[in-house]
Amino acid sequence: AQSVTQLGSHVSVSEGALVLLRCNYSSSVPPYLFWYVQYPNQGLQLLLKYTSAATLVKGINGFEAEFKKSETSFHLTKPSAHMSDAAEYFCAVITGTASKLTFGTGTRLQVTL
Amino acid sequence: DAMVIQNPRYQVTQFGKPVTLSCSQTLNHNVMYWYQQKSSQAPKLLFHYYDKDFNNEADTPDNFQSRRPNTSFCFLDIRSPGLGDAAMYLCATSRDRTGNYEQYFGPGTRLTVT
């Protein structure tokens, strides 16, 4: 069965600093990987997705993620954090024709002045 | 703008009193999903419709039911809410079920059970 693990339930960075949110996946077949962001009392918004077209995926709001098969990772990065980036971030995986998105436990990003 | 709409955004119900949550979409997607998200947890899939075909997750309690009368609308019925059913309920849609098609989420309905 496919799964994702997010290391670090809370990450705090200073405004302007690099954001790095970690996600490792487990899948016996090539996965489809997603990063979603959730602001308080809101639904989930797709930041980016990996569907095997390119290993470096650029998303909205300046975020990007790199698929590394050798490390089974799909870490999310942003060069310079903004206060508006403070939110909960979920990594998720779908494999093959399965209809189910399996989410990681989430990482809460705090951005400080 | 095409979107996923959930009503109401906040719902309060009494213990044991049936409640219905509503989801509509203007994306004309084939698939509609219902997730339950408890505080500080990841969303958990309850069930989904692929067109008119209902697909229940094995661990979804019988207390939760769903209806999809047409492509645009999907309802979540909780027959006898318990205190443990208090959560955010998220509706999502996708064009199809493969990983090529991302899911689009509504804003959610926060359910409180008193």
Side-chain angles (χ1 to χ4, degrees):
Chain A
Q2 67 276 15
S3 66
V4 289
T5 302
Q6 292 184 242
L7 296 176
S9 59
H10 289 84
V11 171
S12 182
V13 300
S14 300
E15 190 173 36
L18 172 71
V19 175
L20 171 60
L21 305 182
R22 300 177 187 274
C23 174
N24 288 88
Y25 69 90
S26 173
S27 175
S28 58
V29 297
Y32 296 102
L33 293 160
F34 304 81
W35 275 102
Y36 282 88
V37 61
Q38 185 177 34
Y39 298 99
N41 288 313
Q42 295 292 325
L44 279 71
Q45 181 183 11
L46 181 69
L47 281 176
L48 48 81
K49 65 178 182 179
Y50 168 75
T51 58
S52 78
T55 56
L56 182 62
V57 182
K58 295 188 181 299
I60 61 171
N61 301 339
F63 285 94
E64 62 181 37
E66 186 171 9
F67 175 75
K68 291 187 177 180
K69 184 177 179 180
S70 60
E71 299 177 7
T72 62
S73 69
F74 190 57
H75 302 330
L76 183 70
T77 60
K78 181 174 181 178
S80 177
H82 192 271
M83 295 296 288
S84 61
D85 295 327
E88 187 89 20
Y89 291 79
F90 291 97
C91 182
V93 64
I94 289 178
T95 55
T97 58
S99 57
K100 187 174 177 177
L101 258 178
T102 301
F103 287 92
T105 50
T107 297
R108 182 166 298 277
L109 176 66
Q110 181 183 18
V111 182
T112 59
L113 288 172
Chain B
D1 286 341
M3 55 175 42
V4 181
I5 302 160
Q6 291 188 246
N7 286 307
R9 293 292 314 279
Y10 300 89
Q11 176 74 56
V12 181
T13 191
Q14 293 177 334
F15 182 94
K17 185 175 181 180
V19 65
T20 294
L21 308 183
S22 170
C23 177
S24 64
Q25 54 131 342
T26 61
L27 296 161
N28 202 33
H29 283 172
N30 287 323
V31 194
M32 295 188 77
Y33 306 82
W34 279 105
Y35 290 86
Q36 180 192 62
Q37 185 181 25
K38 295 189 175 180
S39 182
S40 300
Q41 295 184 19
K44 178 179 176 296
L45 182 65
L46 294 173
F47 28 59
H48 76 275
Y49 272 95
Y50 182 64
D51 196 10
K52 297 180 182 179
D53 182 30
F54 178 70
N55 297 268
N56 198 30
E57 291 298 299
D59 57 354
T60 298
D62 293 339
N63 200 25
F64 291 86
Q65 304 286 321
S66 186
R67 297 169 283 136
R68 188 178 186 186
N70 54 52
T71 300
S72 300
F73 285 86
C74 195
F75 301 98
L76 170 62
D77 301 309
I78 308 176
R79 292 193 294 187
S80 181
L83 297 179
D85 297 327
M88 174 77 91
Y89 290 88
L90 297 165
C91 175
T93 73
S94 68
R95 186 172 298 177
D96 207 321
R97 288 192 294 193
T98 70
N100 280 317
Y101 301 101
E102 64 264 31
Q103 294 184 21
Y104 293 81
F105 284 80
T109 293
R110 182 165 296 283
L111 179 68
T112 300
V113 182
T114 61

